Amino acid sequence: MGGGPPELDDLIAVNAEIAAFVRAGIPLEMGLRGLYGLKGSRFGRLAGRLADRLADGQSLSAALAEEGPAVPRVYASVVEAGLASGTLPRALESLAESGRILQDTRRRIATAAIYPLICLVVAYWMFCFFVVVIGPQLVDTAELISNSWAIEILRRFNRYSWVLTKLLP
């Protein structure tokens, strides 16, 4: 394959470009070759590999199939169906839109996972502050008033605060 498998961004970009070439009536080989010359990225290398395969006489679906497992079978099937029905630009635009939605969903999930992590860290810091600063003061104050099970728990937290605040994380 030379240069690694295409990523979702690469496939979305190639989809959009191929759809534009087909709509404009530009031969795919020529258009993809032009993209290869403009970009030195994985996208450009993918366009170059596809252009080489098309120049060798392969169909677009066969050229994509040679990308191996990096190109999902569903993608190749949609390209074949688009070629057979004569609606390749529409099929590729639909795939590109689905890819963009997938990317957006992945980004939102990753962003949403950060919030619980921040809450956990802040809660742990608050717990450490309580054990190290507030707990000892409560124990000293409560010893003057009464001795209960809650004070005993605070006393143990204070005694083992080094474990709770330094060793536990």
Side-chain angles (χ1 to χ4, degrees):
M1 283 196 304
E7 295 178 354
L8 184 58
D9 290 337
D10 301 327
L11 289 175
I12 291 171
V14 167
N15 266 340
E17 295 300 326
I18 290 173
F21 296 147
V22 172
R23 282 200 191 283
I26 298 171
L28 289 181
E29 175 191 342
M30 186 174 75
L32 290 172
R33 183 89 48 217
L35 291 176
Y36 178 69
L38 292 175
K39 302 187 184 224
S41 64
R42 291 180 109 172
F43 166 72
R45 290 190 298 269
L46 173 63
R49 289 192 305 268
L50 291 175
D52 290 341
R53 291 182 190 130
L54 291 172
D56 291 341
Q58 291 183 352
S59 68
L60 179 59
S61 56
L64 288 169
E66 279 197 32
E67 285 295 318
V71 175
R73 182 70 190 133
V74 170
Y75 176 79
S77 297
V78 170
V79 169
E80 288 176 24
L83 286 170
S85 67
T87 59
L88 182 61
R90 195 170 1 171
L92 292 176
E93 288 167 357
S94 173
L95 281 172
E97 183 60 27
S98 296
R100 285 186 204 102
I101 291 169
L102 179 63
Q103 282 181 318
D104 186 51
T105 303
R106 285 180 180 170
R107 182 188 54 78
R108 287 176 187 232
I109 289 171
T111 303
I114 292 172
Y115 180 72
L117 180 64
I118 291 171
C119 289
L120 182 67
V121 169
V122 169
Y124 179 72
W125 286 344
M126 291 172 64
F127 174 74
C128 290
F129 180 76
F130 178 79
V131 167
V132 173
V133 177
I134 297 174
Q137 293 176 4
L138 285 174
V139 168
D140 292 342
T141 305
E143 283 178 345
L144 299 173
I145 302 170
S146 69
N147 197 4
S148 69
W149 61 272
I151 299 304
E152 185 57 35
I153 290 174
L154 285 174
R155 200 177 283 124
R156 287 178 194 228
F157 273 167
N158 188 30
R159 190 176 310 136
Y160 298 109
S161 66
W162 64 274
V163 173
L164 296 171
T165 59
K166 295 181 180 106
L167 192 60
L168 190 61

